[in-house]
Amino acid sequence: MEQTSKSRSERISKREDSRQQVRSKRLMTLKKNTPYFVLLIIPIAYFVLFCYWPMFGISMAFQDYKVGSPFLGGNSAFVGFKWFRQLLTSPLFPRLLKNTLIISLTDLLLGFPICIAFALLLNEVRHEHLRHFTANVSMLPYFISTVVVVCMLLNFFSVDDGIFQNIMVKLGGERKTIIGNPDSFVSLFVGSGIWQGCGYGAVVYTAAIASIDPNLYEAAALDGSTRWKNIFHITIPCIMPTILIMLILRFGGLMGVNSAKILLMYRPSVYSTADVFGTYAYRAAFEDGNMSYSTAIDLFTSVVNLLLLVLANKVIKKASDSETSLF
């Protein structure tokens, strides 16, 4: 009996020692990673204050909200889906939907392949310093403010003294209205967006290309493959999962056109091609003072974006051989 009690006490002491060692290891790990946890406070606070806390404002979409009253428990009457029905039955809804899809799909069909093509071409530059210089220079426009980009467009294409207009006159042409012309709005908007984001958008594909095993290219060279064939038979297939993931994300933002840039380029003459859900929500909030209607418009576009994201993810997951998907 004494030996049994001793063995039990030894086992218990060993368990306590192992638990104490685990606790000490966890404490040491916590102390070692304390600076990283402190740095996490900033992004956590950002998401809480600017992403999750404002979600209480969604309740305005279902209320006849009175400015100044609290979101929940105030004097605002509950109206259900009144503002959503008003949006769907509005005579402006077809124009908003058409303009939003035209701008988004044009940017997707042109801007998405251009970023991939730029990354592929950048990978073919053999001079290392030239490749890095080109990549850095191509990223600079991304860090230019949208306000500055729009001012550049005004200076380049102004009828009176725009650089482009002056060049056209020197070549024997005539001055034409480009800024404020509804037919040229989509081209200016999408073209300037591609110029501004092409270099930055290619970073993801450049990183994916850098992770490809160099032995694949060496084996292809032994078989007599050219650089052009390597692009289509090695590079693109290897980065295809990254391309599909980025394509899914682009579909998830199809209804989210850059409204801030459109507002800077806005004028009544381009309403027919520039008016989108974001600008309509802005006018409803700050011109008409209807915060509930504006919130309903934004919530509608967010829900549609979510549905498009889920649909694109499901379709691409079934269509791709590797079943690449977000979830």
Side-chain angles (χ1 to χ4, degrees):
M1 294 293 292
E2 292 180 358
Q3 292 178 354
T4 304
S5 61
K6 287 182 179 179
S7 62
R8 288 180 178 177
S9 62
E10 289 177 356
R11 287 198 298 268
I12 292 173
S13 62
K14 288 181 179 179
R15 290 176 183 174
E16 291 295 331
D17 292 339
S18 63
R19 290 175 181 174
Q20 187 66 28
Q21 290 178 0
V22 171
R23 293 193 193 98
S24 61
K25 288 182 180 179
R26 289 178 178 176
L27 185 59
M28 291 177 62
T29 303
L30 181 62
K31 290 181 178 179
K32 182 179 179 181
N33 296 325
T34 298
Y36 303 106
F37 290 124
V38 173
L39 290 176
L40 278 175
I41 295 176
I42 297 175
I44 290 174
Y46 170 82
F47 282 106
V48 169
L49 293 176
F50 298 102
C51 296
Y52 290 99
W53 180 255
M55 290 181 69
F56 288 103
I58 294 176
S59 60
M60 289 193 298
F62 306 96
Q63 299 173 346
D64 188 6
Y65 180 72
K66 307 298 181 184
V67 179
S69 61
F71 297 142
L72 302 174
N75 298 325
S76 303
F78 179 78
V79 295
F81 293 95
K82 170 187 174 182
W83 304 116
F84 296 96
R85 290 193 296 269
Q86 181 173 330
L87 172 63
L88 296 175
T89 57
S90 172
L92 295 177
F93 182 80
R95 185 179 77 178
L96 298 173
L97 182 61
K98 183 186 75 171
N99 293 342
T100 302
L101 292 178
I102 287 176
I103 294 175
S104 297
L105 291 176
T106 304
D107 184 49
L108 177 64
L109 295 176
L110 295 179
F112 189 73
I114 287 176
C115 291
I116 300 173
F118 180 74
L120 294 173
L121 294 175
L122 197 63
N123 182 61
E124 295 302 316
V125 178
R126 293 295 180 240
H127 196 282
E128 184 178 357
H129 295 291
L130 179 60
R131 184 171 64 251
H132 290 320
F133 176 78
T134 305
N136 293 331
V137 171
S138 64
M139 288 182 62
L140 291 178
Y142 180 80
F143 300 99
I144 300 176
S145 171
T146 304
V147 179
V148 177
V149 172
V150 175
C151 290
M152 291 170 63
L153 291 176
L154 295 176
N155 290 330
F156 288 159
F157 298 100
S158 176
V159 178
D160 298 329
D161 56 353
I163 298 175
F164 178 80
Q165 300 282 1
N166 293 335
I167 294 175
M168 291 297 295
V169 171
K170 293 292 184 181
L171 295 176
E174 297 180 355
R175 297 183 183 272
K176 297 181 180 179
T177 302
I178 299 178
I179 300 294
N181 186 354
D183 296 330
S184 60
F185 177 83
V186 176
S187 301
L188 288 176
F189 182 86
V190 175
S192 60
I194 293 174
W195 169 78
Q196 189 175 12
C198 177
Y200 186 81
V203 171
V204 177
Y205 308 108
T206 304
I209 293 172
S211 64
I212 299 175
D213 188 0
N215 294 327
L216 296 175
Y217 295 102
E218 294 177 1
L222 293 176
D223 292 336
S225 178
T226 61
R227 295 171 65 178
W228 182 256
K229 290 182 179 179
N230 289 344
I231 292 176
F232 289 96
H233 295 287
I234 297 178
T235 308
I236 293 180
C238 288
I239 67 172
M240 186 55 67
T242 303
I243 294 175
L244 294 178
I245 292 296
M246 298 303 296
L247 182 61
I248 293 172
L249 294 175
R250 289 292 294 266
F251 270 102
L254 203 61
M255 300 289 287
V257 184
N258 189 355
S259 303
K261 185 177 179 181
I262 294 179
L263 289 171
L264 293 170
M265 300 174 64
Y266 223 22
R267 54 200 64 196
S269 60
V270 298
Y271 276 5
S272 58
T273 56
D275 202 16
V276 296
F277 286 106
T279 56
Y280 186 51
Y282 176 86
R283 294 203 311 271
F286 297 103
E287 293 183 9
D288 301 335
N290 195 339
M291 295 293 180
S292 296
Y293 191 32
S294 176
T295 305
I297 297 170
D298 286 336
L299 182 58
F300 169 79
T301 56
S302 299
V303 171
V304 173
N305 278 334
L306 177 61
L307 295 176
L308 290 174
L309 177 67
V310 174
L311 180 62
N313 182 80
K314 187 175 182 179
V315 171
I316 291 178
K317 184 177 182 179
K318 288 186 176 181
S320 61
D321 297 333
S322 59
E323 294 187 354
T324 302
S325 63
L326 283 176
F327 45 85

Coordinates of all heavy atoms in Angstrom, one line a residue, residues 74-127:
G74 N -34.0 55.2 -30.4 CA -34.3 56.6 -30.5 C -35.7 56.9 -31.0 O -36.7 56.1 -30.8
N75 N -36.0 58.1 -31.5 CA -37.3 58.5 -32.0 C -37.5 58.1 -33.4 O -38.6 58.5 -34.0 CB -37.4 60.0 -31.8 CG -37.3 60.4 -30.4 OD1 -37.8 59.7 -29.5 ND2 -36.7 61.6 -30.1
S76 N -36.6 57.4 -34.1 CA -36.8 57.1 -35.5 C -37.7 55.9 -35.6 O -37.6 54.9 -34.9 CB -35.4 56.7 -36.1 OG -34.5 57.8 -35.9
A77 N -38.7 56.0 -36.5 CA -39.7 55.0 -36.6 C -39.2 53.9 -37.5 O -38.5 54.1 -38.5 CB -41.0 55.6 -37.2
F78 N -39.6 52.6 -37.2 CA -39.2 51.5 -38.0 C -40.1 51.4 -39.2 O -41.3 51.4 -39.1 CB -39.3 50.2 -37.1 CG -38.9 49.0 -37.9 CD1 -37.6 48.6 -38.1 CD2 -39.9 48.1 -38.4 CE1 -37.2 47.5 -38.7 CE2 -39.5 47.0 -39.0 CZ -38.2 46.7 -39.2
V79 N -39.4 51.3 -40.4 CA -40.2 51.3 -41.6 C -40.0 50.1 -42.5 O -40.5 49.9 -43.6 CB -39.9 52.6 -42.5 CG1 -40.4 53.8 -41.8 CG2 -38.4 52.6 -42.8
G80 N -39.2 49.1 -42.0 CA -38.9 47.9 -42.7 C -38.1 48.1 -43.9 O -37.1 48.8 -43.9
F81 N -38.6 47.6 -45.1 CA -37.9 47.6 -46.3 C -38.4 48.7 -47.2 O -38.3 48.7 -48.4 CB -38.0 46.3 -47.1 CG -37.4 45.1 -46.4 CD1 -38.1 44.3 -45.5 CD2 -36.0 44.9 -46.5 CE1 -37.5 43.2 -44.9 CE2 -35.4 43.8 -45.9 CZ -36.1 43.0 -45.1
K82 N -38.9 49.8 -46.6 CA -39.4 50.9 -47.4 C -38.4 51.5 -48.3 O -38.7 51.7 -49.5 CB -40.0 52.0 -46.4 CG -40.3 53.3 -47.1 CD -40.7 54.4 -46.1 CE -40.9 55.7 -46.8 NZ -41.2 56.8 -45.8
W83 N -37.2 51.8 -47.8 CA -36.2 52.5 -48.6 C -35.6 51.5 -49.7 O -35.2 52.0 -50.8 CB -35.0 53.0 -47.7 CG -35.5 53.9 -46.6 CD1 -35.5 53.6 -45.3 CD2 -36.2 55.1 -46.8 NE1 -36.0 54.7 -44.6 CE2 -36.5 55.6 -45.5 CE3 -36.5 55.9 -47.9 CZ2 -37.1 56.8 -45.3 CZ3 -37.2 57.1 -47.7 CH2 -37.4 57.6 -46.4
F84 N -35.6 50.2 -49.4 CA -35.1 49.3 -50.5 C -36.2 49.2 -51.6 O -35.8 49.2 -52.8 CB -34.9 47.9 -49.9 CG -33.8 47.9 -48.8 CD1 -34.1 48.0 -47.5 CD2 -32.5 47.7 -49.2 CE1 -33.1 47.9 -46.5 CE2 -31.5 47.6 -48.3 CZ -31.8 47.8 -47.0
R85 N -37.4 49.3 -51.3 CA -38.5 49.3 -52.3 C -38.4 50.6 -53.1 O -38.6 50.6 -54.3 CB -39.9 49.1 -51.7 CG -40.1 47.7 -51.1 CD -41.6 47.5 -50.8 NE -42.0 48.4 -49.8 CZ -42.0 48.1 -48.5 NH1 -41.6 46.9 -48.1 NH2 -42.5 49.0 -47.6
Q86 N -38.1 51.7 -52.4 CA -38.0 53.0 -53.1 C -36.8 52.9 -54.1 O -36.9 53.5 -55.2 CB -37.8 54.1 -52.1 CG -37.7 55.5 -52.7 CD -37.7 56.6 -51.7 OE1 -38.3 56.4 -50.6 NE2 -37.1 57.7 -52.0
L87 N -35.7 52.3 -53.7 CA -34.6 52.2 -54.6 C -34.9 51.4 -55.8 O -34.6 51.7 -56.9 CB -33.4 51.6 -53.8 CG -32.1 51.3 -54.6 CD1 -31.5 52.6 -55.3 CD2 -31.1 50.6 -53.8
L88 N -35.5 50.2 -55.6 CA -35.7 49.3 -56.7 C -36.8 49.8 -57.6 O -36.8 49.4 -58.8 CB -36.1 47.9 -56.1 CG -35.1 47.2 -55.3 CD1 -35.6 45.9 -54.7 CD2 -33.8 46.9 -56.2
T89 N -37.7 50.6 -57.1 CA -38.7 51.1 -58.0 C -38.4 52.5 -58.5 O -39.2 53.1 -59.2 CB -40.1 51.2 -57.2 OG1 -39.9 52.0 -56.0 CG2 -40.5 49.8 -56.9
S90 N -37.2 53.1 -58.2 CA -36.9 54.4 -58.6 C -36.6 54.4 -60.1 O -36.0 53.5 -60.6 CB -35.6 54.9 -57.8 OG -35.1 56.1 -58.4
P91 N -37.0 55.5 -60.8 CA -36.7 55.5 -62.2 C -35.2 55.6 -62.5 O -34.8 55.4 -63.7 CB -37.5 56.8 -62.7 CG -37.6 57.6 -61.4 CD -37.8 56.6 -60.3
L92 N -34.4 56.0 -61.5 CA -33.0 56.1 -61.7 C -32.3 54.8 -61.6 O -31.1 54.6 -61.9 CB -32.4 57.1 -60.7 CG -32.8 58.6 -60.9 CD1 -32.1 59.4 -59.8 CD2 -32.4 59.1 -62.2
F93 N -33.0 53.7 -61.0 CA -32.3 52.5 -60.7 C -31.7 51.8 -62.0 O -30.6 51.3 -61.9 CB -33.3 51.5 -60.1 CG -32.7 50.2 -59.7 CD1 -31.9 50.1 -58.5 CD2 -32.9 49.1 -60.5 CE1 -31.4 48.9 -58.2 CE2 -32.3 47.9 -60.2 CZ -31.6 47.7 -59.0
P94 N -32.4 51.7 -63.1 CA -31.8 51.1 -64.3 C -30.5 51.8 -64.7 O -29.5 51.2 -65.1 CB -32.9 51.2 -65.4 CG -34.1 51.3 -64.6 CD -33.8 52.1 -63.4
R95 N -30.5 53.2 -64.7 CA -29.3 53.9 -65.1 C -28.2 53.7 -64.1 O -27.0 53.5 -64.5 CB -29.6 55.4 -65.1 CG -28.5 56.3 -65.7 CD -28.9 57.7 -65.7 NE -28.8 58.4 -64.4 CZ -29.1 59.7 -64.2 NH1 -29.4 60.4 -65.2 NH2 -29.0 60.2 -63.0
L96 N -28.5 53.6 -62.8 CA -27.4 53.4 -61.8 C -26.8 52.0 -62.0 O -25.6 51.9 -61.9 CB -28.0 53.5 -60.4 CG -28.6 54.9 -60.0 CD1 -29.3 54.8 -58.6 CD2 -27.5 55.9 -59.9
L97 N -27.7 51.0 -62.2 CA -27.2 49.7 -62.4 C -26.4 49.5 -63.6 O -25.3 48.9 -63.6 CB -28.4 48.7 -62.4 CG -28.0 47.2 -62.6 CD1 -27.2 46.7 -61.4 CD2 -29.3 46.4 -62.7
K98 N -26.8 50.1 -64.7 CA -26.1 50.1 -66.0 C -24.8 50.7 -65.9 O -23.7 50.2 -66.3 CB -27.0 50.7 -67.1 CG -26.3 50.6 -68.5 CD -27.1 51.4 -69.5 CE -26.9 52.9 -69.4 NZ -27.4 53.6 -70.5
N99 N -24.7 51.9 -65.4 CA -23.5 52.7 -65.3 C -22.5 52.0 -64.4 O -21.3 51.9 -64.7 CB -23.7 54.1 -64.8 CG -24.5 54.9 -65.7 OD1 -24.5 54.6 -66.9 ND2 -25.1 56.0 -65.3
T100 N -23.0 51.4 -63.2 CA -22.1 50.7 -62.3 C -21.5 49.5 -63.0 O -20.2 49.3 -62.9 CB -22.8 50.3 -61.0 OG1 -23.4 51.5 -60.4 CG2 -21.9 49.6 -60.1
L101 N -22.3 48.7 -63.7 CA -21.8 47.5 -64.3 C -20.8 47.8 -65.5 O -19.8 47.1 -65.7 CB -22.9 46.6 -64.8 CG -23.8 46.0 -63.7 CD1 -24.9 45.2 -64.3 CD2 -23.0 45.1 -62.8
I102 N -21.2 48.9 -66.2 CA -20.3 49.2 -67.4 C -18.9 49.6 -66.9 O -17.9 49.2 -67.4 CB -21.0 50.4 -68.2 CG1 -22.1 49.8 -69.0 CG2 -19.9 51.0 -69.2 CD1 -22.9 50.9 -69.8
I103 N -18.9 50.5 -65.9 CA -17.6 51.0 -65.4 C -16.8 49.8 -64.7 O -15.6 49.6 -65.0 CB -17.8 52.1 -64.3 CG1 -18.4 53.3 -65.1 CG2 -16.5 52.5 -63.7 CD1 -18.7 54.5 -64.1
S104 N -17.5 49.0 -63.9 CA -16.8 47.9 -63.2 C -16.3 46.8 -64.2 O -15.2 46.3 -64.1 CB -17.8 47.3 -62.2 OG -18.1 48.2 -61.2
L105 N -17.2 46.4 -65.1 CA -16.8 45.4 -66.1 C -15.7 45.9 -67.0 O -14.8 45.1 -67.4 CB -18.0 44.9 -66.9 CG -19.1 44.1 -66.0 CD1 -20.3 43.8 -66.9 CD2 -18.5 42.9 -65.5
T106 N -15.8 47.1 -67.4 CA -14.7 47.7 -68.3 C -13.4 47.7 -67.5 O -12.3 47.3 -68.1 CB -15.0 49.1 -68.7 OG1 -16.3 49.1 -69.4 CG2 -14.0 49.6 -69.7
D107 N -13.4 48.1 -66.3 CA -12.2 48.0 -65.5 C -11.7 46.6 -65.3 O -10.5 46.4 -65.3 CB -12.4 48.7 -64.2 CG -11.2 48.8 -63.3 OD1 -10.1 49.3 -63.8 OD2 -11.2 48.4 -62.1
L108 N -12.6 45.7 -65.1 CA -12.2 44.3 -64.9 C -11.7 43.7 -66.2 O -10.6 43.0 -66.2 CB -13.5 43.5 -64.5 CG -13.3 42.0 -64.3 CD1 -12.3 41.7 -63.1 CD2 -14.6 41.3 -64.0
L109 N -12.3 43.9 -67.3 CA -11.9 43.3 -68.6 C -10.5 43.9 -69.1 O -9.8 43.2 -69.8 CB -12.9 43.5 -69.6 CG -14.3 42.7 -69.3 CD1 -15.3 43.0 -70.4 CD2 -14.0 41.2 -69.3
L110 N -10.3 45.2 -68.7 CA -9.0 45.8 -69.2 C -8.0 45.8 -68.1 O -6.8 45.4 -68.4 CB -9.3 47.2 -69.7 CG -10.3 47.4 -70.9 CD1 -10.5 48.9 -71.2 CD2 -9.7 46.7 -72.1
G111 N -8.3 46.3 -66.9 CA -7.3 46.4 -65.9 C -6.8 45.1 -65.3 O -5.6 45.0 -65.1
F112 N -7.6 44.1 -65.2 CA -7.2 42.8 -64.6 C -6.2 42.1 -65.5 O -5.1 41.7 -65.0 CB -8.4 41.9 -64.4 CG -8.1 40.7 -63.6 CD1 -7.9 40.7 -62.3 CD2 -8.1 39.5 -64.3 CE1 -7.6 39.6 -61.5 CE2 -7.8 38.3 -63.6 CZ -7.5 38.4 -62.2
P113 N -6.4 42.0 -66.8 CA -5.4 41.3 -67.6 C -4.1 42.2 -67.8 O -3.0 41.6 -67.9 CB -6.0 41.2 -69.0 CG -7.5 41.3 -68.7 CD -7.6 42.2 -67.6
I114 N -4.2 43.5 -67.8 CA -3.1 44.4 -67.9 C -2.1 44.2 -66.7 O -0.9 44.1 -66.9 CB -3.5 45.8 -68.1 CG1 -4.1 46.1 -69.4 CG2 -2.3 46.8 -67.8 CD1 -4.6 47.5 -69.7
C115 N -2.6 44.0 -65.5 CA -1.8 43.8 -64.3 C -1.0 42.5 -64.5 O 0.2 42.4 -64.2 CB -2.6 43.8 -63.1 SG -3.3 45.4 -62.6
I116 N -1.7 41.4 -65.0 CA -1.1 40.1 -65.1 C 0.0 40.2 -66.2 O 1.1 39.7 -66.1 CB -2.1 39.1 -65.5 CG1 -3.1 39.0 -64.4 CG2 -1.4 37.7 -65.7 CD1 -4.3 38.1 -64.7
A117 N -0.3 40.9 -67.3 CA 0.6 41.0 -68.4 C 1.8 41.8 -68.0 O 3.0 41.5 -68.4 CB -0.1 41.7 -69.6
F118 N 1.6 42.9 -67.2 CA 2.8 43.7 -66.8 C 3.7 42.9 -65.9 O 4.9 43.0 -66.0 CB 2.3 44.9 -66.1 CG 3.3 45.8 -65.6 CD1 4.1 46.6 -66.4 CD2 3.7 45.8 -64.2 CE1 5.1 47.4 -66.0 CE2 4.7 46.7 -63.7 CZ 5.4 47.5 -64.6
A119 N 3.1 42.0 -65.0 CA 3.9 41.2 -64.1 C 4.7 40.2 -65.0 O 5.9 39.9 -64.7 CB 3.1 40.5 -63.1
L120 N 4.1 39.6 -66.0 CA 4.8 38.6 -66.8 C 5.9 39.3 -67.6 O 7.0 38.7 -67.7 CB 3.8 38.0 -67.8 CG 2.7 37.1 -67.2 CD1 1.7 36.7 -68.3 CD2 3.3 35.9 -66.5
L121 N 5.7 40.5 -68.2 CA 6.7 41.2 -68.9 C 7.9 41.6 -68.0 O 9.0 41.6 -68.3 CB 6.1 42.4 -69.6 CG 5.1 42.1 -70.7 CD1 4.5 43.4 -71.2 CD2 5.8 41.3 -71.8
L122 N 7.5 42.0 -66.7 CA 8.5 42.4 -65.8 C 9.4 41.3 -65.4 O 10.6 41.4 -65.2 CB 7.8 43.0 -64.5 CG 8.7 43.9 -63.6 CD1 9.2 45.1 -64.3 CD2 7.9 44.2 -62.4
N123 N 8.8 40.1 -65.4 CA 9.6 38.9 -65.0 C 10.6 38.5 -66.1 O 11.6 37.9 -65.9 CB 8.7 37.7 -64.8 CG 9.4 36.5 -64.4 OD1 10.1 36.4 -63.4 ND2 9.3 35.4 -65.2
E124 N 10.3 39.0 -67.4 CA 11.2 38.7 -68.5 C 12.4 39.6 -68.6 O 13.3 39.4 -69.4 CB 10.4 38.7 -69.8 CG 9.4 37.6 -69.9 CD 9.9 36.2 -69.7 OE1 11.0 35.9 -70.3 OE2 9.3 35.4 -69.0
V125 N 12.4 40.7 -67.8 CA 13.5 41.6 -67.8 C 14.7 40.9 -67.0 O 14.6 40.7 -65.8 CB 13.1 42.9 -67.1 CG1 14.3 43.9 -67.1 CG2 12.0 43.6 -67.9
R126 N 15.8 40.7 -67.7 CA 16.9 39.9 -67.1 C 17.8 40.8 -66.3 O 18.4 40.4 -65.4 CB 17.7 39.2 -68.2 CG 16.9 38.1 -68.9 CD 16.6 37.0 -67.9 NE 15.8 36.0 -68.5 CZ 14.6 35.6 -68.1 NH1 14.0 36.2 -67.1 NH2 14.0 34.6 -68.7
H127 N 17.9 42.1 -66.6 CA 18.7 43.0 -65.9 C 18.1 43.3 -64.5 O 17.0 43.9 -64.5 CB 19.0 44.3 -66.7 CG 20.1 45.1 -66.2 ND1 20.0 45.9 -65.0 CD2 21.4 45.3 -66.6 CE1 21.2 46.5 -64.8 NE2 22.0 46.1 -65.8

